[in-house]
Amino acid sequence: MAEKAYTVGVVGVTGAVGKEIIEVLGDRGFPLEQIRLFASARSAGNSMETPLGTKTIEEFTLAAARECDIVFLAVSGDFSEEWSEKISADGGPLVIDNSSAFRYDPTVPLVVPEINAEAARKSAKRLIANPNCTTAIALMALAPLHEAFGIKRCIMSTYQAASGAGAPGMSELEEGVKAFAEGGKAENSVFAHPLPFNVIPHIDKFLDDKYTKEERKVTWETRKILDLPDLPVSCTCVRIPTLRAHAEAITIETEKPVDMELAISKLRSAPGVSFTDDTSKNVYPMPLTATSKYDVEVGRLRANDVFGDYGLDLFVCGDQLLRGAALNAVLIAEAVADDVL
């Protein structure tokens, strides 16, 4: 936890992730000297509740953002590309960016703080990228298993909530379910097809290799965070009609034979992990139980029949807006702010 008090700015406070960042700062007791809320001119002048009381939203400007010590960006990649480096330049604020703009830049650390906070401490830049939500949730389980057995290959299928498309995605699902229940038709503008009572194996755009960009994000970011540049990772990402919390079915092949007791011990003791695995009582990770929870649920742990002693299957579920976004961003600030500011 950071010890000094900081002036913190949050850019994009009217979106789902921006609102969660404000809530997490208060819930975790982050040491705030001042909090400043930034959004577009359309939202400027409106009021929001914060850990320091009611605050007025300001229109974002570079000068105002640079008056802060820490700036959380809960904005689009285009906005981040334009402003992140300008905000953090020349000893400016520590910028923690939730977009994909700088995740693959080799000069910018991509951080899950329980795994590789040191990458941020060593960085020459005051700019840190927050991982894709799917990757962050998966790595909470994969990192301790890699430490114990070494991961040789990883295959993943994800079941991603509407919250992955932000507040508009959640609203479209809720409105579509209501329309369907009243005998009407669910409309879609956020998703490629109506989401209620449907699953859509299409998140982000399709690439030339037939994977989606979302699927490739998992590969690229897993490699960077674990510092395994050649790790084979294959992922299929599916949007499902839940509001919050992504679920992931993961298979790994390991370098060393798996000791199941050690695997369980590693997961039980891993920070940010809730080992949720008692099939005799129907206890396992689910969006229903992972929603609004800081820890990632990990369960359904078992030997993989294909890889034998060198393989594991597991099921993971985590709140996309928390571990997959806002919580991870705040934990980065807690872990490194005192060291880099």
Side-chain angles (χ1 to χ4, degrees), residues 56-67:
T56 301
I57 299 174
E58 306 174 50
E59 181 179 0
F60 170 83
T61 66
L62 176 61
R66 282 181 59 83
E67 291 171 357

Side-chain angles (χ1 to χ4, degrees), residues 95-113:
V95 174
I96 301 171
D97 176 27
N98 197 65
S99 82
S100 61
F102 293 95
R103 290 174 184 160
Y104 316 118
D105 184 328
T107 69
V108 175
L110 179 66
V111 173
V112 175

